[in-house]
């Protein structure tokens, strides 16, 4: 899920990653958590929520007879607490703030016992050896902020369980990469927090939609009168998508991951918000926390997805919808075990829910490969 910077003063986006590996397939994954943070700054300026159903999907992740994203979490009593068929807390790539077992989070061993169950079928568990075989000679790029690193590390740890002949390297303009030498399969992560560059004239702490509106530029000049932030978001998204489509090599599979929900309750991250739950939420609780009409602390998740789907419509991007399944999992964040001054209700424990994202990712890639 790849993000690119867009220079509002020149209208020329700059590429944020370049992988120069020879492969028959390049898979680029983009994320948009930075959109959620930006959107939280101007959600109060929105007069009314979109009337459109925000749960609709573009290019839904499905098998022939099943929508993998429509389901619920079930507790798997067959898994022994503390056991793992994927990987465990000893995987060295796990960022220390996400290692909930080592940080003594009370439910760390329970998190992976909850399994996502689509309504009309089963989501296959990630098969690391099959993945390596099927996608040999492939380069996979995770481009985005730390939420995509969360997913990248999950994928690495699962693959590392079955293939130890790995070369770690630093791709040009990227954070890190790993090549599984026996299969010539490379996964790389490039960190970038922004979809668009903003000038030094503006700071989030000074933003006021009426007294000091956000400015957007076209052909080097500010758009006047100032356009609404949500209109500007649509503009930036569209430019980013057009840029990526124009620069990606032929045959690239482009995937954009939907919003990863936060679960702050009782206030936002800097106002005493916490995520103390130790079990997945019920459907009613999810709606209370995320429904647009409630305008709650975490409402940006669905609002941003609305803009994202609108911008991606008609593009060559596929959409990996992880939002709905993740909204339930208020129990799966590092919380106060993350080592920060405030509760971490944004990132995810590892092992944890991003392993299920990779279940979905692998199933999706298999479907795309079968159809092509």
């Amino acid at each position: 899920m790849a993000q690119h910077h867009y220079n509002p003063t020149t209208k020329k986006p700059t590429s944020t990653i370049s992988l120069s590996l020879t492969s028959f397939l390049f898979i680029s994954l983009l994320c948009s958590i930075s959109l959620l943070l930006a959107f939280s700054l101007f959600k109060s300026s929105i007069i009314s929520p979109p009337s459109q159903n925000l749960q609709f999907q573009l290019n839904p992740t499905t098998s022939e007879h099943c929508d993998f994203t429509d389901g619920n979490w079930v507790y798997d009593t067959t898994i022994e607490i503390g056991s793992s068929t994927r990987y465990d807390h000893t995987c060295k790539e796990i960022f220390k703030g996400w290692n909930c077992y080592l940080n003594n989070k009370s439910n760390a061993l329970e998190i992976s016992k909850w399994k996502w169950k689509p309504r009309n079928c089963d989501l296959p568990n990630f098969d690391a050896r099959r993945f390596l075989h099927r996608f040999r000679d492939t380069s996979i790029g995770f481009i985005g902020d730390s939420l995509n690193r969360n997913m990248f590390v999950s994928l690495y740890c699962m693959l590392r369980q079955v293939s130890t002949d790995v070369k770690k390297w630093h791709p040009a303009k990227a954070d890190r990469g790993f090549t599984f030498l026996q299969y010539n399969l490379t996964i790389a992560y490039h960190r970038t927090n922004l979809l668009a560059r903003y000038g030094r004239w503006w700071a989030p702490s000074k933003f006021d939609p009426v007294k000091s509106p956000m400015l957007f530029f076209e052909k080097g000049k500010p758009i006047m009168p100032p356009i609404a932030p949500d209109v500007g978001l649509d503009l930036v998204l569209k430019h980013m998508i057009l840029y990526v489509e124009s620069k990606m090599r032929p045959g690239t599979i482009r995937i954009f991951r939907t919003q990863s929900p936060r679960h702050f309750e009782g206030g936002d991250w800097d106002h005493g918000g916490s995520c103390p739950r130790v079990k997945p939420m019920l459907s009613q609780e999810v709606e209370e926390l995320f429904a647009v009409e409630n305008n709650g602390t975490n409402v940006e998740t669905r609002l941003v997805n609305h803009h994202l789907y609108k911008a991606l419509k008609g593009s060559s991007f596929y959409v990996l919808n992880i939002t709905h399944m993740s909204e339930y999992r208020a129990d799966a964040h590092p919380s106060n075990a993350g080592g920060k001054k405030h509760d971490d209700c944004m990132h995810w424990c590892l092992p944890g829910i991003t392993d299920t994202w990779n279940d979905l990712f692998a199933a999706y890639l298999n479907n795309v490969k079968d159809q092509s």
Side-chain angles (χ1 to χ4, degrees):
M1 304 161 186
Q3 295 181 355
H4 291 254
H5 294 300
Y6 172 75
N7 188 332
T9 60
T10 63
K11 203 179 176 183
K12 292 181 180 179
T14 18
S15 175
T16 55
I17 186 167
S18 173
L19 295 182
S20 57
L21 296 168
T22 302
S23 63
F24 78 90
L25 176 65
F26 183 86
I27 304 165
S28 179
L29 299 102
L30 295 81
C31 77
S32 57
I33 191 64
S34 54
L35 291 178
L36 187 151
L37 296 176
F39 207 84
S40 66
L41 296 170
F42 58 81
K43 68 175 182 179
S44 59
S45 69
I46 298 172
I47 299 175
S48 60
S51 58
Q52 198 170 345
N53 180 357
L54 301 185
Q55 293 297 329
F56 78 96
Q57 294 182 46
L58 184 70
N59 297 318
T61 309
T62 61
S63 67
E64 186 177 355
H65 303 291
C66 179
D67 179 356
F68 288 137
T69 67
D70 179 26
N72 62 301
W73 292 93
V74 295
Y75 191 75
D76 192 341
T77 57
T78 65
I79 299 177
E80 195 174 323
I81 293 180
S83 67
S84 174
T85 57
R86 300 173 183 262
Y87 64 96
D88 59 29
H89 65 279
T90 61
C91 181
K92 294 182 179 180
E93 276 300 304
I94 301 177
F95 178 67
K96 62 181 180 181
W98 307 337
N99 200 323
C100 293
Y101 176 80
L102 287 184
N103 293 335
N104 298 313
K105 189 171 189 287
S106 62
N107 67 323
L109 296 178
E110 289 278 332
I111 290 173
S112 295
K113 291 198 67 171
W114 291 93
K115 297 297 179 183
W116 179 250
K117 178 66 174 68
R119 297 192 187 282
N120 300 313
C121 64
D122 290 316
L123 175 62
N125 278 339
F126 185 88
D127 186 328
R129 198 173 301 280
R130 182 173 185 265
F131 189 91
L132 287 165
H133 276 285
R134 187 153 207 215
F135 297 103
R136 63 169 64 243
D137 303 318
T138 299
S139 299
I140 301 176
F142 290 80
I143 308 172
D145 61 10
S146 52
L147 267 299
N148 251 18
R149 182 182 175 188
N150 219 206
M151 186 177 177
F152 163 79
V153 171
S154 164
L155 179 60
Y156 166 77
C157 290
M158 288 192 285
L159 295 177
R160 185 71 169 72
Q161 282 289 98
V162 300
S163 181
T164 57
D165 190 12
V166 184
K167 178 183 178 181
K168 183 177 181 178
W169 55 288
H170 295 281
K173 298 182 181 180
D175 185 83
R176 66 190 62 200
F178 295 96
T179 299
F180 293 85
L181 298 175
Q182 183 179 349
Y183 303 92
N184 190 33
L185 184 146
T186 293
I187 61 173
Y189 164 69
H190 172 71
R191 179 178 177 83
T192 179
N193 292 332
L194 301 173
L195 285 170
R197 291 178 178 171
Y198 58 85
R200 296 178 182 176
W201 45 269
W202 179 81
S205 60
K206 299 178 180 179
F207 174 67
D208 184 301
V210 177
K211 297 179 181 179
S212 179
M214 190 186 304
L215 292 178
F216 293 86
F217 288 76
E218 187 171 17
K219 296 181 180 179
K221 296 181 179 181
I223 299 174
M224 298 299 292
I227 59 178
D230 53 335
V231 177
L233 176 59
D234 290 335
L235 182 67
V236 169
L237 276 170
K238 204 64 184 177
H239 276 293
M240 182 277 297
I241 291 165
L242 291 173
Y243 177 78
V244 172
E245 289 187 319
S246 70
K247 295 297 182 181
M248 284 293 183
R249 66 182 65 175
T252 298
I253 298 174
R254 306 169 183 89
I255 301 175
F256 208 112
R257 175 177 58 73
T258 60
Q259 289 295 298
S260 173
R262 308 179 300 157
H263 287 90
F264 290 100
E265 297 183 69
D268 213 332
W269 68 273
D270 56 347
H271 286 83
S274 63
C275 42
R277 298 177 187 255
V278 293
K279 292 182 179 180
M281 301 173 75
L282 302 175
S283 295
Q284 181 180 349
E285 295 172 320
V286 166
E287 291 308 305
E288 290 173 357
L289 199 61
F290 292 101
V292 174
E293 54 269 22
N294 291 339
N295 197 31
T297 304
N298 308 283
V299 70
E300 302 92 352
T301 299
R302 297 185 182 182
L303 287 172
V304 171
N305 275 350
H306 168 78
H307 288 270
L308 176 61
Y309 280 121
K310 182 167 65 173
L312 290 171
K313 192 172 184 178
S315 75
S316 60
F317 277 82
Y318 293 96
V319 178
L320 189 70
N321 184 357
I322 55 83
T323 302
H324 178 59
M325 63 166 57
S326 305
E327 286 179 337
Y328 291 91
R329 297 306 304 273
D331 61 306
H333 298 286
S335 187
N336 57 10
K340 296 185 177 182
K341 294 181 180 179
H342 55 81
D343 276 23
D344 185 351
C345 306
M346 178 179 289
H347 300 99
W348 304 96
C349 295
L350 291 178
I353 189 175
T354 48
D355 305 333
T356 303
W357 294 3
N358 279 311
D359 290 340
L360 192 67
F361 176 51
Y364 199 13
L365 286 183
N366 281 324
N367 287 343
V368 172
K369 189 173 176 64
D370 290 341
Q371 291 169 11
S372 61

